[in-house]
Amino acid sequence: MQLGLVGLGRMGANMRERLREHGHDAIGYDPGSEASDVATLGELVAALSPPRIVWLMVPAGEVTRSVIAGLAERLQPGDLVVDGGNSRYTDDPVNAALLGARGVRFVDCGVSGGVWGRDNGYALMVGGNPTDIEFLAPVFDALRPPGPRANSFVHAGPVGAGHYAKMVHNGIEYGLMHAYAEGYELLLAEDSIADPGAVLQAWTAGTVVRSWLLDLLVDALSGDPELASLTGYTEDSGEGRWSVEEAIAHAVPVPVISAALFARFASRQSDSPTMKAVSALRRQFGGHAVEPAVPAADQR
Amino acid sequence: MQLGLVGLGRMGANMRERLREHGHDAIGYDPGSEASDVATLGELVAALSPPRIVWLMVPAGEVTRSVIAGLAERLQPGDLVVDGGNSRYTDDPVNAALLGARGVRFVDCGVSGGVWGRDNGYALMVGGNPTDIEFLAPVFDALRPPGPRANSFVHAGPVGAGHYAKMVHNGIEYGLMHAYAEGYELLLAEDSIADPGAVLQAWTAGTVVRSWLLDLLVDALSGDPELASLTGYTEDSGEGRWSVEEAIAHAVPVPVISAALFARFASRQSDSPTMKAVSALRRQFGGHAVEPAVPAADQR
Amino acid sequence: MQLGLVGLGRMGANMRERLREHGHDAIGYDPGSEASDVATLGELVAALSPPRIVWLMVPAGEVTRSVIAGLAERLQPGDLVVDGGNSRYTDDPVNAALLGARGVRFVDCGVSGGVWGRDNGYALMVGGNPTDIEFLAPVFDALRPPGPRANSFVHAGPVGAGHYAKMVHNGIEYGLMHAYAEGYELLLAEDSIADPGAVLQAWTAGTVVRSWLLDLLVDALSGDPELASLTGYTEDSGEGRWSVEEAIAHAVPVPVISAALFARFASRQSDSPTMKAVSALRRQFGGHAVEPAVPAADQR
Amino acid sequence: MQLGLVGLGRMGANMRERLREHGHDAIGYDPGSEASDVATLGELVAALSPPRIVWLMVPAGEVTRSVIAGLAERLQPGDLVVDGGNSRYTDDPVNAALLGARGVRFVDCGVSGGVWGRDNGYALMVGGNPTDIEFLAPVFDALRPPGPRANSFVHAGPVGAGHYAKMVHNGIEYGLMHAYAEGYELLLAEDSIADPGAVLQAWTAGTVVRSWLLDLLVDALSGDPELASLTGYTEDSGEGRWSVEEAIAHAVPVPVISAALFARFASRQSDSPTMKAVSALRRQFGGHAVEPAVPAADQR
């Protein structure tokens, strides 16, 4: 099939390659990339034959909204926009309505696979109208790994359901990563464990905890067993926050996902106001020794 | 090799079969099982040629201690005992010392793989003396899955290190299971998600969260999408508690593993005294409506 | 001063009484209450002399919005509306703008004190313009407890800051209540503790944990030491959720407040889908015994 | 009454003063203090008339055990030892048995009040034999604040119950402090809040969250509103860990107390191995930018 791909970052560029290898005519557009096939959004639209498919792989929020607005002005009734970025699912009905007012169809698609998806394929969670999704089947089949479709593709529900599913996927990911990481620290803390990385590697076959993330952690530890090459400063990218917010909205207890999220917040604080207040209280009531702040010049 | 296997429960019986298939002469003993090859511990010892190997697959704590004591009386210098059960790692040096006083060698071995290990092989984490562990290599190789030894076997350190590693493995397992489970509930809570099980299945290939546990959850949900066949009442089996206790001993923060553990505790309470106290406080200060307890007869 | 009071529920009715006792002319309006002094919002406005003060004590969200809209139509430039309910602080600028378009001033005021405020006084956290707040000083002074103003009153910042402060107050309250409640359960769980309530009472003077909430818990336990008269089913009222959402928005780790919130969510579930999924996983990989669901008719 | 007081640290020295002011003949012994009234434990015992009372205010664990052993050698049947330190409650029966073998009685007593107890009085939670506790009543009454005995004193149960109650008291304290501290950080994070300390002060009268700890936090913040004089590095002193361990032993979920404990652990880590592992995973699967560790010399 022919389709336009807006956004040629790490994900979009890889997806263009994979689509082309599977025989699709993917035309990429990214104003900030030398790899762009066309110079403007207008050129992209002009290069496509109706009914056009335009697949977005751009940052959620502002950028996505802006591209959608640009497409709403340029596309024609019957064309179809897929938002494959990490948009919040509540943005989808808004974008769908904006496009729908012009007769343009909309499908949201959560895409998982990271930098490995180029070769391994991407898992896809989509939301939208069954007819629209059926229409896109060849594209989905090119992107996803070989094997049964149900193992890497789901029509999760109406518009928004794809991104909701992707959000939950990432929320789980936060919890999984943190569980492995806590275990790693427990191994590291115990003197009798000679090599935490070797223990983790021994779990990659046969155990209950075997997984792709575990494989990746083993890779990361090989050659850098104490992870000396990086710090614990850890960003978060939206879906973790949204997962907790949706949990609150649905009154679902998520102690694990939230603990993983809060640990990321804490990792980015040079000092914790919360702990300073705890420390201050201890000094007040108990005369407990506390760590006084020292002028930066005197600091170890 | 010839070895005695004490304990023919789910794990022990399967391991005997796997060992035999790999050409080992495994003699099983279990006083409570019809599948026992010998009638008494003494008979088991008598049936083995020195240096004898006796592998325990019995419940941690009391039972393990009792079998170890029985073996200390019956084995000879140079014999070797492997504790393959889920003993707390702090029990291992005690058991090793008891046996060591008779010249009997001791190796602790954490075994992972559940009921699937029979066919897939078991991952093994062992602690002890390098010579003893080398001596047992053919047994370990029969039990573990095919493939590189380092992917399913680790000599983690001195006596106790094997069980420490297994404890951490299970602590991680608590966190992983809970992360998936929270995600499942988030999917279930959102009306637009047509079939949570189908979403989970779509993550089994290509995604960041793919794992064996995810495969199992998909299996569990197929045909019982709301898990109506069971309740949330969930036991815990020791290693989760020990993981948190070791974390405390090592001053390692484990918010994820502990959250998973506490959720299991809560799942077994018919009503929570903590929440009753919270509810009582709300009634006291705010006149908030609370749920009065009603006589059982009147209950919905 | 003369002021109108919209909303004569538990809080509003008590506040009217306290204001009158302090010599203020408080005219109450509540369409659902027999204690209403006037029959309509129009009558209330008509009964007040300009510049009018109208103080809202109505449920946050829909109801508050609707009353604000009604007042925007009826009040005159220079009049002043105080939102004393538990509105989300992000609603305040919206309401202020709506009223401001008519020249009507707006102050938000978080009110704490529960049913005890009638006699003890209410603590007040206000947001808005300094001139407006100064104008209201006699009303604030009547409502708050005697003693230094700074101990029960704060001009927290611009419009919204009062409700933000109140939200945080309630978030803390969630954590405090839960901390006491966990301690209560720890006392209850230990057989050697003869009477948990007596232990708690012994903490009410001299200890580090003494507080008004502790006094209330002691009261609740006297005569009902196992809190048999109520269940653990516990509502949450908005501020706890908002506190966690604001924490997320500000990247502030709040493991304690969120744990208290999630425990309330869990208290309202008859069975936990999360724990059912955990239980299902345990059955899948380990053949662990799980609690099968039984038909309601067979249930204990 | 006459009594010996072993340990003249912050707590012991203050208690000696308070006892003397209440007319008791308190003889202090501390080998490391110039304020010691006697030079040796033997001299202390010799200075007391039978039945002797010896009250310990020494560090839990090793030191307490050693003093108890010294007393067991020197005291006579009918004498009475009170352990007023922060011993783990499981130490109490051991110490009681050691002394009991000599006919010496034992009472454990949790003492709360910090440096303020000197003037305000101490709350006391005691475990032991009713006769022994009745015998000590004059001492307890001197130590505790004026007012009803039940508000600052409890005979919690048999030997050990006093320290169990004190442990729970401190566990609650961890949770309370953390709840206030999270609230403080939430106030600090919001630009519209002009002065977090002023908000906290406005809660000290009339609110649901008023407490002695809140008063202390207000004091700490006055003059140092951002707590610039100290860091978040926070020790923990035993009872928090024990509370979580007891919770595990009793299968009581304690998400709040454990969150407060883990946050203290985290506050003492210069970098978190857990977060380094999370960061490593993110780099592995997503090519996410991570914070590389830089040589110390280059660090800001």
Side-chain angles (χ1 to χ4, degrees):
Chain A
M1 297 180 88
Q2 188 194 48
L3 78 164
L5 196 52
V6 181
L8 297 172
R10 215 162 33 225
M11 291 292 285
N14 280 343
M15 288 166 73
R16 180 175 59 174
E17 281 189 55
R18 187 172 176 94
L19 286 166
R20 286 178 177 169
E21 277 176 14
H22 282 72
H24 294 293
D25 177 16
I27 306 174
Y29 165 64
D30 188 329
S33 165
E34 295 196 355
S36 190
D37 297 316
V38 291
T40 65
L41 194 60
E43 277 188 32
L44 179 70
V45 171
L48 298 168
S49 312
R52 299 171 188 83
I53 302 172
V54 183
W55 184 299
L56 273 58
M57 290 306 290
V58 299
E62 201 55 53
V63 180
T64 295
R65 264 192 299 279
S66 151
V67 175
I68 295 275
L71 289 171
E73 287 173 19
R74 290 170 177 85
L75 293 178
Q76 293 177 340
D79 291 347
L80 201 168
V81 171
V82 182
D83 181 4
N86 274 327
S87 293
R88 190 160 188 171
Y89 84 107
T90 46
D91 290 349
D92 294 322
V94 178
N95 291 333
L98 187 71
L99 293 164
R102 306 293 186 108
V104 178
R105 300 176 286 166
F106 179 84
V107 164
D108 59 290
C109 178
V111 178
S112 176
V115 294
W116 304 77
R118 164 74 188 74
D119 294 327
N120 297 350
Y122 302 91
L124 308 169
M125 301 132 251
V126 305
N129 186 297
T131 317
D132 299 340
I133 287 164
E134 187 52 40
F135 175 67
L136 293 163
V139 176
F140 294 142
D141 285 340
L143 288 171
R144 66 178 188 78
R149 177 183 278 193
N151 289 358
S152 56
F153 175 87
V154 66
H155 178 191
V159 163
H163 278 138
Y164 187 93
K166 179 58 170 27
M167 175 196 76
V168 175
H169 167 280
N170 284 31
I172 291 173
E173 186 187 297
Y174 275 58
L176 300 180
M177 289 165 73
H178 212 84
Y180 285 119
E182 287 183 2
Y184 165 71
E185 184 169 343
L186 281 173
L187 292 172
L188 200 64
E190 169 57 33
D191 287 341
S192 74
I193 299 296
D195 177 358
V199 173
L200 293 168
Q201 186 178 350
W203 295 341
T204 57
T207 69
V208 172
V209 304
R210 66 187 188 262
S211 72
W212 190 61
L213 277 170
L214 178 61
D215 295 344
L216 292 182
L217 185 54
V218 169
D219 288 348
L221 287 167
S222 74
D224 187 7
E226 301 210 359
L227 299 172
S229 67
L230 43 74
T231 74
Y233 184 103
T234 311
E235 295 287 354
D236 71 284
S237 54
E239 291 91 349
R241 298 178 179 215
W242 302 336
S243 291
V244 178
E245 289 171 357
E246 287 306 316
I248 291 173
H250 289 92
V252 169
V254 288
V256 161
I257 295 174
S258 62
L261 177 66
F262 292 148
R264 292 198 185 184
F265 291 170
S267 80
R268 305 198 298 259
Q269 299 184 310
S270 61
D271 203 356
S272 156
T274 292
M275 295 317 298
K276 290 171 79 163
V278 170
S279 192
L281 278 170
R282 277 168 53 82
R283 183 166 59 177
Q284 288 287 323
F285 71 71
H288 290 284
V290 296
E291 184 96 332
V294 290
D298 301 342
Q299 225 154 357
R300 283 146 296 156
Chain B
M1 297 181 88
Q2 188 194 50
L3 79 163
L5 197 51
V6 181
L8 298 171
R10 213 160 37 220
M11 291 292 283
N14 280 344
M15 288 167 73
R16 181 174 60 174
E17 279 187 57
R18 186 169 176 96
L19 286 166
R20 285 178 177 169
E21 278 176 14
H22 282 72
H24 295 292
D25 176 17
I27 307 174
Y29 165 64
D30 189 330
S33 164
E34 295 196 355
S36 190
D37 298 314
V38 291
T40 65
L41 194 60
E43 275 187 34
L44 178 70
V45 171
L48 298 166
S49 312
R52 296 171 190 85
I53 302 172
V54 182
W55 185 300
L56 273 59
M57 290 306 291
V58 299
E62 202 55 54
V63 180
T64 295
R65 263 191 300 279
S66 151
V67 175
I68 295 276
L71 289 170
E73 287 173 19
R74 290 172 178 83
L75 293 177
Q76 293 177 341
D79 289 348
L80 202 169
V81 171
V82 182
D83 181 4
N86 275 327
S87 293
R88 189 161 189 172
Y89 84 106
T90 47
D91 291 349
D92 295 322
V94 178
N95 291 334
L98 186 72
L99 293 165
R102 307 292 186 111
V104 177
R105 299 177 288 166
F106 178 84
V107 164
D108 60 288
C109 180
V111 178
S112 177
V115 295
W116 304 76
R118 164 74 188 77
D119 294 328
N120 297 351
Y122 303 90
L124 307 170
M125 301 132 251
V126 304
N129 186 296
T131 318
D132 299 340
I133 287 165
E134 188 51 40
F135 176 67
L136 293 164
V139 176
F140 294 143
D141 285 341
L143 288 171
R144 66 179 188 77
R149 178 184 279 192
N151 289 359
S152 56
F153 175 87
V154 65
H155 178 190
V159 164
H163 278 137
Y164 187 93
K166 179 57 169 28
M167 174 196 77
V168 175
H169 167 282
N170 283 33
I172 291 172
E173 185 187 297
Y174 275 59
L176 300 181
M177 290 164 73
H178 213 82
Y180 285 118
E182 287 183 4
Y184 164 71
E185 184 168 344
L186 280 173
L187 292 172
L188 201 63
E190 170 58 33
D191 287 342
S192 73
I193 299 296
D195 178 357
V199 173
L200 293 168
Q201 187 180 348
W203 296 341
T204 57
T207 68
V208 173
V209 304
R210 66 186 188 263
S211 72
W212 189 60
L213 277 169
L214 179 61
D215 294 344
L216 292 182
L217 186 53
V218 170
D219 288 348
L221 287 167
S222 74
D224 186 7
E226 302 211 357
L227 299 172
S229 66
L230 42 76
T231 74
Y233 184 104
T234 310
E235 294 287 355
D236 69 286
S237 54
E239 292 90 351
R241 299 179 178 214
W242 303 336
S243 290
V244 178
E245 289 172 357
E246 288 305 315
I248 291 173
H250 289 92
V252 170
V254 287
V256 161
I257 296 175
S258 61
L261 177 65
F262 293 149
R264 293 199 185 182
F265 291 170
S267 80
R268 305 198 297 259
Q269 298 184 309
S270 59
D271 202 355
S272 156
T274 291
M275 294 317 298
K276 290 172 78 163
V278 171
S279 191
L281 277 170
R282 277 168 51 84
R283 182 166 60 176
Q284 287 288 323
F285 71 72
H288 289 285
V290 296
E291 185 95 335
V294 291
D298 300 342
Q299 224 152 358
R300 283 146 299 158
Chain C
M1 297 182 89
Q2 188 195 50
L3 79 164
L5 196 51
V6 181
L8 298 172
R10 211 161 36 223
M11 291 291 285
N14 280 343
M15 288 166 73
R16 180 174 60 173
E17 279 188 56
R18 187 172 176 93
L19 286 167
R20 286 178 177 169
E21 277 176 14
H22 282 71
H24 295 292
D25 176 17
I27 306 173
Y29 165 64
D30 188 329
S33 165
E34 296 197 352
S36 191
D37 298 315
V38 290
T40 66
L41 193 61
E43 275 186 33
L44 178 70
V45 170
L48 298 167
S49 313
R52 298 172 188 83
I53 302 171
V54 182
W55 185 299
L56 272 60
M57 290 305 292
V58 299
E62 202 55 55
V63 179
T64 295
R65 264 192 300 279
S66 151
V67 175
I68 295 276
L71 290 171
E73 287 174 19
R74 290 172 178 83
L75 292 178
Q76 293 177 340
D79 291 347
L80 203 169
V81 171
V82 182
D83 180 4
N86 275 325
S87 293
R88 190 161 189 172
Y89 83 106
T90 47
D91 290 349
D92 294 322
V94 179
N95 291 334
L98 187 69
L99 293 165
R102 306 294 185 110
V104 177
R105 300 177 285 165
F106 178 84
V107 165
D108 59 289
C109 180
V111 178
S112 177
V115 293
W116 304 76
R118 164 73 187 75
D119 294 326
N120 297 350
Y122 303 90
L124 308 170
M125 300 132 252
V126 305
N129 186 297
T131 318
D132 299 341
I133 287 165
E134 188 52 39
F135 176 66
L136 293 164
V139 176
F140 293 144
D141 285 339
L143 287 172
R144 66 178 188 76
R149 178 184 278 193
N151 289 359
S152 56
F153 175 87
V154 66
H155 178 191
V159 164
H163 278 137
Y164 187 92
K166 179 57 169 28
M167 174 196 78
V168 175
H169 167 281
N170 284 32
I172 291 172
E173 184 187 297
Y174 274 59
L176 300 181
M177 290 166 71
H178 212 82
Y180 285 118
E182 287 183 4
Y184 164 70
E185 184 168 345
L186 280 173
L187 292 172
L188 201 63
E190 169 58 33
D191 287 341
S192 73
I193 300 296
D195 178 357
V199 172
L200 293 169
Q201 187 179 350
W203 295 341
T204 56
T207 68
V208 173
V209 303
R210 65 186 188 263
S211 73
W212 189 60
L213 277 168
L214 178 61
D215 294 344
L216 292 181
L217 185 53
V218 170
D219 288 349
L221 287 166
S222 74
D224 188 7
E226 302 210 357
L227 299 172
S229 66
L230 42 76
T231 73
Y233 184 103
T234 311
E235 294 288 354
D236 69 285
S237 54
E239 292 91 349
R241 299 179 178 215
W242 302 336
S243 290
V244 177
E245 289 172 357
E246 288 305 316
I248 292 173
H250 289 91
V252 170
V254 288
V256 161
I257 296 175
S258 62
L261 177 66
F262 293 149
R264 293 199 185 181
F265 291 171
S267 80
R268 305 198 297 259
Q269 298 185 310
S270 60
D271 204 355
S272 156
T274 292
M275 295 316 299
K276 290 172 79 162
V278 170
S279 193
L281 278 170
R282 277 168 52 83
R283 183 166 61 179
Q284 287 288 322
F285 71 72
H288 290 283
V290 296
E291 184 96 333
V294 290
D298 300 344
Q299 225 152 355
R300 283 147 295 160
Chain D
M1 296 181 90
Q2 189 194 48
L3 79 162
L5 197 52
V6 180
L8 297 172
R10 215 160 34 222
M11 291 292 283
N14 281 344
M15 289 166 73
R16 181 175 58 174
E17 279 188 57
R18 186 172 176 94
L19 286 166
R20 285 179 179 169
E21 277 176 15
H22 283 72
H24 294 293
D25 177 18
I27 307 174
Y29 165 64
D30 190 328
S33 165
E34 295 196 356
S36 191
D37 297 315
V38 291
T40 66
L41 194 60
E43 275 187 33
L44 178 70
V45 170
L48 299 167
S49 311
R52 298 171 188 83
I53 302 172
V54 182
W55 184 300
L56 272 59
M57 290 306 291
V58 298
E62 202 55 54
V63 180
T64 295
R65 264 192 298 280
S66 152
V67 175
I68 295 275
L71 290 171
E73 287 174 20
R74 290 171 177 84
L75 293 177
Q76 293 178 338
D79 291 347
L80 202 168
V81 171
V82 182
D83 181 5
N86 274 326
S87 294
R88 190 160 187 171
Y89 84 107
T90 46
D91 290 349
D92 294 322
V94 178
N95 290 334
L98 186 71
L99 292 165
R102 305 295 185 107
V104 177
R105 301 175 285 165
F106 179 84
V107 164
D108 60 288
C109 178
V111 178
S112 177
V115 294
W116 304 77
R118 163 74 187 74
D119 295 327
N120 297 351
Y122 302 91
L124 307 170
M125 302 131 249
V126 304
N129 186 295
T131 317
D132 299 340
I133 286 165
E134 187 51 39
F135 175 67
L136 293 163
V139 176
F140 294 143
D141 284 341
L143 288 171
R144 65 179 189 77
R149 178 184 278 192
N151 289 0
S152 55
F153 175 88
V154 66
H155 179 192
V159 164
H163 279 136
Y164 187 94
K166 179 58 171 24
M167 175 196 76
V168 175
H169 167 281
N170 284 31
I172 291 172
E173 185 187 296
Y174 275 59
L176 300 182
M177 290 166 72
H178 213 83
Y180 285 118
E182 287 183 4
Y184 164 71
E185 185 168 344
L186 281 172
L187 292 173
L188 201 63
E190 170 57 33
D191 286 341
S192 74
I193 299 296
D195 177 358
V199 173
L200 293 168
Q201 188 179 348
W203 295 341
T204 56
T207 69
V208 172
V209 303
R210 66 186 187 263
S211 73
W212 189 61
L213 278 168
L214 178 61
D215 295 343
L216 293 180
L217 186 52
V218 170
D219 288 348
L221 287 166
S222 73
D224 187 7
E226 301 209 359
L227 299 173
S229 66
L230 42 76
T231 73
Y233 184 103
T234 311
E235 295 286 354
D236 70 285
S237 54
E239 292 90 351
R241 298 179 179 215
W242 302 336
S243 290
V244 177
E245 289 172 356
E246 288 305 315
I248 292 173
H250 289 92
V252 169
V254 288
V256 162
I257 296 175
S258 62
L261 178 66
F262 292 149
R264 293 199 184 182
F265 291 170
S267 80
R268 305 198 299 259
Q269 299 184 310
S270 59
D271 203 356
S272 156
T274 292
M275 294 317 298
K276 290 172 78 162
V278 170
S279 192
L281 278 169
R282 276 168 53 84
R283 183 166 61 177
Q284 288 288 322
F285 71 71
H288 289 284
V290 296
E291 184 95 332
V294 290
D298 301 343
Q299 224 151 356
R300 283 145 294 158

